[in-house]
Amino acid sequence: MKTFGSVLMGMIWAFCIWGWPVCANAARLKDIVEINGVRNNQLVGYGLVVGLDGSGDGKKAIFTVQSMSSMLEKMGVTVDQNDLKVKNVAAVMVTATLPPFAKRGNTIDVLVSSIGDASSLQGGTLMLTPLKGVDGNIYAVAQGPVNVGGFSIGGSSATAVKNFPTVGRVLSGAIIEREVPNAFSDRPVVMFSLHTPDFNTAARIVDSINAQLGETYARAKDPGTIEVRVPPQYIGNTVPLLASLSDLEVEPDNDAKVVINERTGTVVMGAQVRISTIAIAHGNLSIVVKESLDTSQPLPLSDGQTVVSPNTAINVQEGGNKLMVVPQGVSIGQVVNALNALGVTPRDLIAIFQAIKAAGALQADLEVI
């Protein structure tokens, strides 16, 4: 039994090393591609938030006064704009995302953002606001209490603010009134768009789809687009087809890349990064300048004067790191171990990678963000 167990474990490790799909770094097809035509749509509208406790727009926000006057006139109340006080009202822009296949009567969240000089939207209520798409049509209407994840309080000489009280959210505050037409089930061809276009990834997706369907239905139009002809049994019923394809596991192939953020000192290396054999010596130079004042007092009952003289102390320290050979790395782990052996910090890595790239020894793209 022990011999059989040892052989079985050896076979499992061999499969993992030589490419058994279960052990590979595979991803589901739905996680690396998008279906053309299945997308979100942005909605936007202009509205008013009322019921604020004196934290609304001031007199300088003329559009708020005009909006209040127009709204009251539509309700049969005629008022003079000069008589309106808007400290309890704030003009806002209302934005929302209309998800694909959303149906009339569904609700979505909306984001409310002040566009005037209101100090807080806490405790306010969004008045009925139509939300329009890029084509100018109204797709939803929003209304409801505004939830603000912060506060703003203060007095005459001090103010305390947490987060952004001029931005809030109305949960399920918009009701969809118009649907986006989408003849999805009638498509004879389904197009997949890769999140990261790549020749190898596109070829692997095509092979996986054709193996799943048992015939050549998929082809790669380019590294970022996969065209799949709908099989006859799925014509007019593409949902089961996409459900069966979405869980296919494909190992994506990524470019070798090192991403550097100099503002935060962050260095991220991809799994394909390789470094040719090089020799590196990295040392830090530290210079500390300290200023002090020395005071010289005269003897008692003498005619001398107190003299103050500056004293400058300079301390220079230079790192004593020796020249170290970094062998050619065959994996990301060996590259990291070789760089860690130098005892450098993330910010030192930024300078090292830039120098390695300049020397032509970095077999990857160096991207600075």
Side-chain angles (χ1 to χ4, degrees):
M1 292 298 293
K2 292 184 178 179
T3 302
F4 176 77
S6 301
V7 173
L8 180 61
M9 289 301 297
M11 292 177 62
I12 292 176
W13 278 108
F15 276 123
C16 289
I17 294 174
W18 296 105
W20 198 9
V22 175
C23 298
N25 296 323
R28 296 181 304 174
L29 183 63
K30 65 166 60 175
D31 298 327
I32 59 177
V33 302
E34 292 180 354
I35 303 174
N36 284 14
V38 180
R39 45 160 289 181
N40 296 325
N41 292 277
Q42 305 298 326
L43 304 179
V44 65
Y46 171 82
L48 295 174
V49 173
V50 300
L52 303 177
D53 187 15
S55 59
D57 294 336
K59 295 182 179 180
K60 294 182 179 180
I62 302 177
F63 48 85
T64 306
V65 178
Q66 295 175 345
S67 301
M68 281 291 299
S69 177
S70 177
M71 182 184 68
L72 292 175
E73 287 181 1
K74 292 180 180 179
M75 295 181 177
V77 180
T78 303
V79 295
D80 188 357
Q81 294 186 9
N82 297 324
D83 297 333
L84 290 176
K85 305 298 182 182
V86 294
K87 62 180 182 179
N88 290 339
V89 182
V92 295
M93 294 301 298
V94 184
T95 57
T97 300
L98 183 65
F101 308 114
K103 301 302 179 182
R104 186 177 302 173
N106 293 155
T107 58
I108 55 177
D109 296 348
V110 298
L111 190 66
V112 179
S113 305
S114 173
I115 60 175
D117 55 358
S119 59
S120 176
L121 300 179
Q122 185 177 7
T125 300
L126 176 67
M127 299 297 293
L128 189 66
T129 303
L131 302 180
K132 298 181 180 181
V134 69
D135 55 0
N137 293 323
I138 298 176
Y139 286 89
V141 290
Q143 182 173 280
V146 180
N147 298 312
V148 179
F151 61 82
S152 175
I153 57 175
S156 58
S157 60
T159 303
V161 179
K162 180 181 180 181
N163 297 334
F164 297 92
T166 55
V167 178
R169 182 176 294 272
V170 182
L171 303 178
S172 300
I175 301 176
I176 298 174
E177 300 292 346
R178 182 193 295 264
E179 301 176 6
V180 177
N182 193 339
F184 185 76
S185 296
D186 298 332
R187 296 183 181 182
V189 175
V190 177
M191 307 290 290
F192 292 132
S193 297
L194 276 71
H195 294 162
T196 304
D198 183 84
F199 288 100
N200 292 337
T201 305
R204 293 170 184 173
I205 292 175
V206 170
D207 294 340
S208 298
I209 294 177
N210 290 333
Q212 174 72 12
L213 299 179
E215 198 171 335
T216 306
Y217 287 103
R219 71 182 184 95
K221 297 186 63 177
D222 52 61
T225 307
I226 308 297
E227 180 184 79
V228 180
R229 292 185 296 108
V230 178
Q233 64 270 26
Y234 291 108
I235 294 294
N237 189 24
T238 56
V239 173
L241 170 65
L242 295 177
S244 64
L245 297 180
S246 62
D247 288 332
L248 288 178
E249 291 192 347
V250 179
E251 184 177 1
D253 192 7
N254 299 317
D255 296 334
K257 183 179 294 186
V258 177
V259 180
I260 292 175
N261 190 330
E262 291 187 303
R263 295 183 299 274
T264 61
T266 302
V267 179
V268 179
M269 293 183 290
Q272 306 298 330
V273 174
R274 299 293 183 269
I275 294 180
S276 301
T277 302
I278 54 175
I280 301 176
H282 183 79
N284 294 325
L285 178 64
S286 176
I287 301 177
V288 179
V289 179
K290 184 177 180 181
E291 294 281 357
S292 62
L293 297 177
D294 293 338
T295 303
S296 177
Q297 296 283 358
L299 295 175
L301 303 177
S302 66
D303 295 333
Q305 296 181 353
T306 301
V307 178
V308 179
S309 59
N311 183 20
T312 302
I314 300 177
N315 182 20
V316 180
Q317 294 181 351
E318 186 174 4
N321 292 340
K322 299 180 180 180
L323 192 68
M324 178 176 291
V325 176
V326 179
Q328 181 175 0
V330 296
S331 67
I332 186 64
Q334 293 184 357
V335 173
V336 171
N337 291 334
L339 293 175
N340 285 338
L342 297 175
V344 297
T345 64
R347 291 196 177 274
D348 294 331
L349 281 178
I350 294 177
I352 290 176
F353 271 117
Q354 290 174 341
I356 294 175
K357 183 65 175 179
L362 181 62
Q363 312 306 326
D365 294 332
L366 185 62
E367 181 176 342
V368 180
I369 59 175

